[in-house]
Amino acid sequence: MVLGLGGALFHALNHSLMKPLLFFAAGSVLHAAGTAQLSVLGGLGRAMPRTFALFCLGAVAICGAPPLNGFASELVLYVGLLRVAAADSAEGWVWASLAAPALATMGALAVAGFVKVAGIAFAGTPRSQAGLAAHDPGRAMQAPMIALGAACVLLGLLPGAAVPLLQRAVAAWDPALPVPALDALLPLGWVSAAGLLLLAAVALLGALFARGRSPGDAALTWDCGYAAPTPRMQYVDSSFSETLVGLFDWAVRSRRVPPS
């Protein structure tokens, strides 16, 4: 009970950092390109590299991938659900058995959604003049995004730093509830160690890759016979998500409008 409540509060705390970061990144795109319509964007990764990097950080965090704060909070949620499922209460077992796969499904859909946004808006080449004229915002708009991104990294590598705050929140939620130490129920030190090892491995691989490359290594990829593809040959938002929408058409009730 305590771990589940603490995990929910920790998850809410992390979402208060990840979601504003993503909203600020979307606002930067709207400010720079004058539109938020994915189908007319493209190539923003080169035009807005800082915004792209911060957007990717927020997307990775909210999808629950290590070593950021979304992974830490979802781990606490999963462990709390498993503890409830292992308890003797039949009602708790049923709810936990439904909540765990629902949480996993939402994570998978989040990955698909953010890969779509990153691929359509930031990858490829600009599809319109709005994309060609885009640029990173000024420091005043970048500073809040950098602060939120740093907080996502900090709570991902050091989730135990939030334990005292969560202890007080759980105690305030139900004063009659006995509150054991959350870090005793779920030792978070190994999360920090695993995150640091993962970052070190990524940094090492990046350094080896950069060292092994030379200017003469650059070459065109297989272009299927199109030496100079145009923006019209790129995937757009609807074609990218067509398969996923088709799988869940029974739930989303999508409406198809043929071209006129």
Side-chain angles (χ1 to χ4, degrees), residues 223-234:
D223 53 16
C224 302
Y226 295 96
T230 67
R232 294 185 63 185
M233 297 177 183
Q234 301 177 116

Side-chain angles (χ1 to χ4, degrees), residues 1-257:
M1 176 65 181
V2 174
L3 186 57
L5 181 55
L9 293 172
F10 190 32
H11 203 57
L13 171 64
N14 285 315
H15 270 263
S16 72
L17 302 171
M18 300 180 291
K19 285 184 177 178
L21 173 57
L22 293 168
F23 279 123
F24 286 162
S28 297
V29 170
L30 180 61
H31 170 76
T35 179
Q37 187 175 352
L38 289 179
S39 59
V40 300
L41 296 174
L44 297 183
R46 292 187 180 91
M48 308 175 66
R50 297 185 184 88
T51 302
F52 180 39
L54 290 165
F55 171 83
C56 288
L57 192 151
V60 170
I62 206 166
C63 289
L68 300 178
N69 58 339
F71 170 77
S73 62
E74 289 200 5
L75 175 66
V76 177
L77 277 179
Y78 278 121
V79 173
L81 290 172
L82 291 174
R83 285 178 178 268
V84 171
D88 295 332
S89 172
E91 182 180 358
W93 181 87
V94 171
W95 283 112
S97 300
L98 293 174
L103 185 61
T105 303
M106 287 188 289
L109 292 176
V111 171
F114 284 107
V115 168
K116 168 187 170 180
V117 174
I120 301 301
F122 291 96
T125 57
R127 297 178 178 85
S128 64
Q129 191 63 33
L132 287 170
H135 55 84
D136 269 321
R139 294 180 178 178
M141 292 183 67
Q142 290 184 39
M145 291 192 291
I146 293 173
L148 290 168
C152 290
V153 175
L154 178 64
L155 284 181
L157 295 177
L158 299 173
V163 167
L165 178 63
L166 297 175
Q167 293 282 150
R168 292 194 293 270
V170 171
W173 186 283
D174 188 355
L177 185 68
V179 184
L182 289 176
D183 48 358
L185 294 173
L186 176 63
L188 296 173
W190 72 270
V191 178
S192 302
L196 290 173
L197 286 175
L198 179 59
L199 284 182
V202 170
L204 178 61
L205 290 175
L208 292 175
F209 178 75
R211 184 179 179 182
R213 292 188 63 187
S214 65
D217 291 339
L220 290 174
T221 58
W222 181 45
D223 53 16
C224 302
Y226 295 96
T230 67
R232 294 185 63 185
M233 297 177 183
Q234 301 177 116
Y235 280 101
V236 294
D237 48 350
S238 57
S239 58
F240 188 94
S241 57
E242 182 177 1
T243 302
L244 189 62
V245 172
L247 289 173
F248 290 93
D249 188 60
W250 56 272
V252 298
R253 300 292 182 182
S254 59
R255 183 166 59 94
R256 291 172 174 81
V257 179

